[in-house]
Amino acid sequence: MSNRTGSFKTAATDLILEVKDLKKHFPVRGGFWRRVANSVKAVDGVSFTVRRGETLGVVGESGCGKTTLGRTIMRLIEPTSGDAFFYSNGRGGQADGSVDLLKMEPSKLKPVRRELQMVYQDPFSSLDPRQTIGRILEEPFIIHKIGDRAERQERVAELLKSVGLQTNHSSRYPHQFSGGQRQRIGIARALALRPQLVIADEPVSALDVSVQAQVLNLLVELQSEFELTYIFIAHNLSVVQHISDRIVVMYLGKVVEIGSSESLYERPYHPYTEALLSAMPVADPNAKRSPIILEGNVPSPLDPPPGCAFHPRCRYASGSRLQKCQSEHPELRALGEDNTEQGRMVACHFADELKLRGAFEEQMIDAGA
Ligand code: SF4
């Protein structure tokens, strides 16, 4: 069940995206002949589904591969292998049916690109400083040969209104706006062609905390108005808590846990998810938190640890568990009450026996409730 109010809902089985075993390995060259000596496994065998109308949060520390994942699905980066089936409902003129985004010829991508758009972390660097906002927002219509000049300007005015800006802003340049306003422009540009799926890559992390909530609320409102599905990439769980229906947690290029937002915050199954939850800020100033400190940084994807890649930082990898944690890679498997492919999945050998702390449980105990 959704914990949000903004999303439109369709049948739970109505998929819009199905990612299967997606890999993106960057070759590392060395030596005099610049031969491929190794590879950085930025995304290493990631699979998940996205239902039409939902918001899927993708969370992990920097270096976990979440941004590369988003860009590879968009084909801004070429994949190493895998599939990403996009199921169009034909809304944008695209034939009703599925296409494998990762296998399409680059020349055939243009019509599909209308249906998938990206909102970037840094709106300033993604907006051309020499162009007015009106021109920036008009560009997608020009590229796709939509409308005449008057019609395009009408659509630009509608877009500006949709994101809470004034129509007379169209004659201004990007530097004349605040960070929050620039992100609104970035969102308006992404929505210009009425896409079905929007991948938002850390869209609020460059903004002041006071502005973050406004932009998040705007995204929720627009989801309903434009019938959007979101993949929302973030580096911590607090940003995605109130807007995600389901969450994918990534560590070192792999998915370590998937679950509905509600169940994952209440009962994490993976120790990495537990640590991320413990680091979430608490609204109650009297509540005492005991964040789980993850020792060290995310290991290099050039040389990931053997066995469970999380084991050097996992506080449960000790005693009788240690040997298995160090030597056997845990596959992502279904677990818990909703143990379907659409429900809870976890990659930990000991997920059934560990009793991990949920976000709300800890807050209540620590607050003395
Ligand atoms: Fe920790 Fe071992 Fe589970 Fe990996 S498999 S998360 S190291 S307990």
Side-chain angles (χ1 to χ4, degrees):
M1 202 173 71
S2 171
N3 59 352
R4 304 168 311 117
T5 53
S7 60
F8 72 99
K9 287 293 157 211
T10 57
T13 52
D14 186 7
L15 296 186
I16 188 167
L17 187 73
E18 191 171 15
V19 175
K20 290 186 170 175
D21 202 20
L22 172 54
K23 292 182 183 163
K24 177 59 197 177
H25 297 175
F26 293 98
V28 178
R29 296 175 188 277
F32 181 77
W33 300 106
R34 310 283 303 147
R35 290 207 172 100
V36 175
N38 205 339
S39 65
V40 172
K41 297 182 176 67
V43 178
D44 196 24
V46 164
S47 301
F48 61 87
T49 55
V50 188
R51 296 174 199 145
R52 189 174 298 280
E54 78 169 342
T55 296
L56 182 79
V58 178
V59 178
E61 291 163 285
S62 59
C64 73
K66 56 193 188 302
T67 292
T68 305
L69 173 69
R71 287 172 187 230
T72 310
I73 293 169
M74 292 291 297
R75 286 288 291 274
L76 300 174
I77 300 175
E78 284 304 302
T80 302
S81 62
D83 300 289
F85 294 101
F86 172 65
Y87 299 94
S88 174
N89 63 3
R91 190 171 78 194
Q94 177 74 11
D96 194 350
S98 77
V99 289
D100 188 344
L101 298 170
L102 307 189
K103 300 268 165 44
M104 288 185 86
E105 292 290 324
S107 59
K108 299 206 171 119
L109 275 169
K110 190 176 165 189
V112 187
R113 284 234 160 91
R114 282 185 65 164
E115 316 283 5
L116 297 116
Q117 292 290 325
M118 196 141 185
V119 174
Y120 297 91
Q121 176 179 356
D122 180 0
F124 199 47
S125 64
S126 65
L127 300 175
D128 186 342
R130 296 159 305 175
Q131 296 198 341
T132 63
I133 297 311
R135 171 69 200 185
I136 288 170
L137 294 180
E138 196 184 345
E139 199 169 22
F141 301 115
I142 295 171
I143 291 171
H144 288 268
K145 299 187 174 61
I146 297 171
D148 56 23
R149 187 85 218 279
E151 285 166 342
R152 293 197 299 262
Q153 285 184 338
E154 202 177 309
R155 293 222 195 173
V156 167
E158 283 167 14
L159 279 171
L160 285 169
K161 274 195 248 165
S162 300
V163 297
L165 294 173
Q166 291 159 20
T167 49
N168 62 8
H169 282 144
S170 65
S171 58
R172 297 192 193 165
Y173 290 85
H175 73 270
Q176 294 175 289
F177 293 90
S178 67
Q181 286 175 319
R182 283 199 289 260
Q183 192 53 291
R184 287 172 187 266
I185 295 161
I187 293 166
R189 186 180 53 182
L191 300 189
L193 299 173
R194 305 234 16 153
Q196 297 179 45
L197 176 66
V198 172
I199 299 181
D201 185 8
E202 306 237 20
V204 298
S205 47
L207 304 177
D208 289 344
V209 175
S210 56
V211 182
Q212 286 186 359
Q214 293 169 16
V215 173
L216 287 174
N217 287 339
L218 174 69
L219 285 167
V220 172
E221 282 165 26
L222 293 171
Q223 182 168 38
S224 180
E225 188 183 333
F226 285 77
E227 298 189 349
L228 298 167
T229 304
Y230 288 138
I231 294 179
F232 196 105
I233 296 169
H235 61 268
N236 66 47
L237 280 162
S238 56
V239 171
V240 294
Q241 180 181 5
H242 297 294
I243 63 160
S244 299
D245 295 290
R246 291 187 308 130
I247 309 263
V248 170
V249 181
M250 284 186 70
Y251 188 77
L252 218 57
K254 291 183 186 293
V255 173
V256 295
E257 185 158 11
I258 302 180
S260 74
S261 185
E262 225 165 325
S263 69
L264 187 131
Y265 282 83
E266 209 170 290
R267 167 91 163 91
Y269 283 120
H270 197 283
Y272 181 56
T273 312
E274 182 193 40
L276 291 180
L277 286 173
S278 80
M280 279 172 53
V282 194
D284 180 354
N286 297 318
K288 292 195 200 89
R289 298 306 304 269
S290 49
I292 298 163
I293 308 295
L294 287 175
E295 301 292 338
N297 297 319
V298 180
S300 166
L302 248 182
D303 186 20
C308 173
F310 187 57
H311 86 256
R313 305 173 81 195
C314 180
R315 62 187 190 147
Y316 303 101
S318 59
S320 58
R321 298 189 197 102
L322 185 60
Q323 206 264 332
K324 191 166 185 179
C325 294
Q326 286 178 330
S327 59
E328 286 180 38
H329 166 66
E331 295 296 338
L332 192 67
R333 63 193 166 100
L335 193 77
E337 283 167 24
D338 186 9
N339 60 355
T340 62
E341 209 176 310
Q342 292 280 312
R344 294 301 295 272
M345 299 192 80
V346 63
C348 169
H349 297 305
F350 301 101
D352 311 69
E353 65 186 65
L354 296 176
K355 293 281 173 281
L356 306 183
R357 288 186 311 198
F360 312 122
E361 179 191 0
E362 183 179 52
Q363 283 172 30
M364 276 169 18
I365 291 167
D366 286 345

